[in-house]
């Protein structure tokens, strides 16, 4: 293997190649994580949409099939997050990833147990703050990325963060699918790449076939960013449901959010008091407004329509723009293997 593919990222996480499979709700299950880490990447289990019991069962499944290291993704305000963190520690999970950061107390606890902290940031101003809090690796997601995303293009964000010389591995995320991208990121100064959409569009992904078929038909220019799903910028494939959301009034969105919030509340077993407390906590500890946290009730139910129930026309399709350049559904082993081969060829071509 080309020496450039052994980086501080592979050293820190213990994976074979500098490629991260990101956590995607209802997609990054034990099935996808197991396939990606067996292929030599580093995978994250999407526990942010799981109960502690579900998370533990998924961790057990992964460990029953491979002894390779993997991580777990959490949301700082999800119900049962403290128990999930304890489970990760008990089962010697290698890393914990998150977006809006958990409390310093949680980070200290996780690091003391030997887990690596891997936050995802979308703005350069968050980089030093994340490292100061304890980040061991920074995943920098540019605006091309899927799901919740920032406003800075990947390469510009990457340059801003790398130039800060923060002393931790920096991972490029948003717009990657192949070995050319990995080689470009490495020569640019990054320590690896992170991909979500490419792994979701694989034979090992649990995403229903009908939904995958919609992703295969997507166009780069028709995967816009919208704030209508949950009040925050989120990139999704433009379909009928997203078009309807874009045309909704504020009152219509509030009514829809309350209805979906009640459905999600019953799904997770949260009481009304817990639901309100969670929304208030998110609003008071992040830059989200209370209205945005109320709208967040929309996202889980509408996303699950497509990603779990296999009804893409009734739900939304979170996606990176890279989906418009993907026209196949190979296995994770083939995806990673081809990335490594093509990255080596690209690096040799430029004499790296």
């Amino acid at each position: 293997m080309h020496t450039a593919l052994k980086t501080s990222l592979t050293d820190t996480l213990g994976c074979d190649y500098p490629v991260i499979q990101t956590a995607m709700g209802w997609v990054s299950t034990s099935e996808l994580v197991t396939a990606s880490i067996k292929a030599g990447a580093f995978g994250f289990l999407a526990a942010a949409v799981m109960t502690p019991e579900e998370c533990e069962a998924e961790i057990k499944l992964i460990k029953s099939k491979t002894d390779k290291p993997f991580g777990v993704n959490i949301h700082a305000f999800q119900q049962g997050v403290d128990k999930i963190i304890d489970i990760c520690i008990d089962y010697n999970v290698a890393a914990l990833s998150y977006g809006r950061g958990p409390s310093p107390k949680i980070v200290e606890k996780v690091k003391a147990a030997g887990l690596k902290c891997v936050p995802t940031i979308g703005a350069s101003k968050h980089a030093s703050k994340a490292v100061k809090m304890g980040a061991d690796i920074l995943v920098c997601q540019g605006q091309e990325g899927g799901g919740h995303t920032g406003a800075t293009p990947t390469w510009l964000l990457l340059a801003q963060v790398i130039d800060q010389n923060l002393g931790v591995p920096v991972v490029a995320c948003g717009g990657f699918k192949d070995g050319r991208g990995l080689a470009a990121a490495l020569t640019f100064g990054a320590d690896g790449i992170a991909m979500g959409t490419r792994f979701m569009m694989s034979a090992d992904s649990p995403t229903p076939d009908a939904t995958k078929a919609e992703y295969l038909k997507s166009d780069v220019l028709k995967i816009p960013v919208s704030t209508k799903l949950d009040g925050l910028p989120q990139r999704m494939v433009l379909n009928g449901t997203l078009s309807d959301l874009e045309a909704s009034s504020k009152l219509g969105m509030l009514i829809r959010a309350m209805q979906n919030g009640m459905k999600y509340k019953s799904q997770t077993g949260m009481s009304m008091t817990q639901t309100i407390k969670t929304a208030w906590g998110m609003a008071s500890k992040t830059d989200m407004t209370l209205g945005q946290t109320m709208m967040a009730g929309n996202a889980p139910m509408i996303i699950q329509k497509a990603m779990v129930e296999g009804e893409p026309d009734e739900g939304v399709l979170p996606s990176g723009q890279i989906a418009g350049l993907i026209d196949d559904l190979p296995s994770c082993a083939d995806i990673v293997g081809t990335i490594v081969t093509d990255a080596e060829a690209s690096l040799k071509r430029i004499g790296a």
Side-chain angles (χ1 to χ4, degrees):
M1 185 173 66
H2 197 292
T3 56
L5 298 186
K6 284 296 182 182
T7 71
S8 58
L9 179 66
T10 58
D11 291 341
T12 301
L13 293 179
C15 49
D16 296 328
Y17 309 116
V19 177
I20 288 177
Q21 166 251 302
T22 63
M24 299 162 280
W26 302 285
V27 175
S28 300
T29 62
S30 59
E31 181 182 355
L32 183 61
V33 173
T34 299
S36 67
I37 61 179
K38 280 186 174 181
F42 188 90
F44 279 101
L45 178 71
V49 295
M50 298 177 185
T51 64
E53 293 73 24
E54 290 169 338
C55 175
E56 183 172 17
E58 289 287 87
I59 289 174
K60 285 182 177 180
L61 275 174
I62 296 169
K63 284 186 167 288
S64 71
K65 297 175 181 177
T66 176
D67 59 0
K68 286 180 173 290
F70 65 94
V72 170
N73 172 261
I74 62 163
H75 190 302
F77 301 99
Q78 72 185 98
Q79 183 72 10
V81 66
D82 291 326
K83 188 172 181 180
I84 287 177
I85 289 170
D86 287 338
I87 290 170
C88 291
I89 293 172
D90 291 342
Y91 283 89
N92 296 312
V93 169
L96 195 74
S97 71
Y98 45 87
R100 295 175 191 84
S103 68
K105 184 178 179 181
I106 287 179
V107 174
E108 289 174 9
K109 178 179 180 179
V110 168
K111 289 179 70 68
L115 281 73
K116 303 300 182 183
C117 290
V118 189
T120 296
I121 62 169
S124 62
K125 65 181 180 180
H126 296 148
S128 60
K129 295 178 182 178
V131 172
K132 186 175 181 180
M133 183 179 282
D136 296 290
I137 296 166
L138 287 176
V139 175
C140 301
Q141 180 176 317
Q143 67 174 179
E144 299 95 321
H148 290 118
T149 195
T152 309
T154 298
W155 295 106
L156 301 185
L157 175 62
L158 196 58
Q160 289 178 317
V161 175
I162 289 174
D163 288 347
Q164 293 182 50
N165 296 312
L166 295 171
V168 299
V170 174
V171 181
C173 180
F176 294 97
K177 74 176 182 70
D178 55 30
R180 295 179 303 173
L182 173 57
L186 294 176
T187 56
F188 197 77
D191 300 285
I193 59 172
M195 306 185 301
T197 302
R198 174 69 278 192
F199 280 111
M200 183 273 294
M201 296 176 69
S202 73
D204 298 305
S205 164
T207 303
D209 289 341
T211 301
K212 288 180 183 177
E214 292 302 307
Y215 279 100
L216 287 172
K217 294 188 294 185
S218 63
D219 184 292
V220 169
L221 298 179
K222 295 182 180 179
I223 309 176
V225 173
S226 172
T227 59
K228 282 300 188 79
L229 182 62
D230 59 7
L232 295 173
Q234 185 161 183
R235 191 176 291 283
M236 298 166 279
V237 174
L238 184 61
N239 65 356
T241 299
L242 180 55
S243 294
D244 289 343
L245 288 172
E246 284 294 318
S248 298
S249 66
K250 289 185 178 180
L251 178 59
M253 287 300 302
L254 181 59
I255 293 173
R256 187 195 295 258
M258 292 177 67
Q259 292 172 336
N260 282 318
M262 291 298 291
K263 292 178 183 177
Y264 189 58
K265 180 180 74 69
S266 62
Q267 187 182 89
T268 59
M270 292 175 66
S271 67
M272 180 57 74
T273 300
Q274 289 172 325
T275 302
I276 295 174
K277 184 178 179 180
T278 298
W280 180 258
M282 289 173 64
S284 62
K285 296 179 181 178
T286 69
D287 54 3
M288 295 173 68
T289 66
L290 185 58
Q292 287 173 329
T293 64
M294 294 302 292
M295 285 178 68
N298 265 325
M301 304 312 299
I302 300 179
I303 291 174
Q304 285 183 79
K305 277 289 184 181
M307 309 311 291
V308 178
E309 299 174 28
E311 299 179 19
D313 294 335
E314 301 297 320
V316 294
L317 306 167
S319 179
Q321 282 185 288
I322 199 67
L325 300 181
I326 296 174
D327 58 8
D328 59 356
L329 300 169
S331 68
C332 287
D334 285 340
I335 288 173
V336 176
T338 301
I339 284 175
V340 171
T341 299
D342 290 350
E344 290 178 329
S346 294
L347 291 167
K348 289 177 181 176
R349 185 168 60 249
I350 64 173

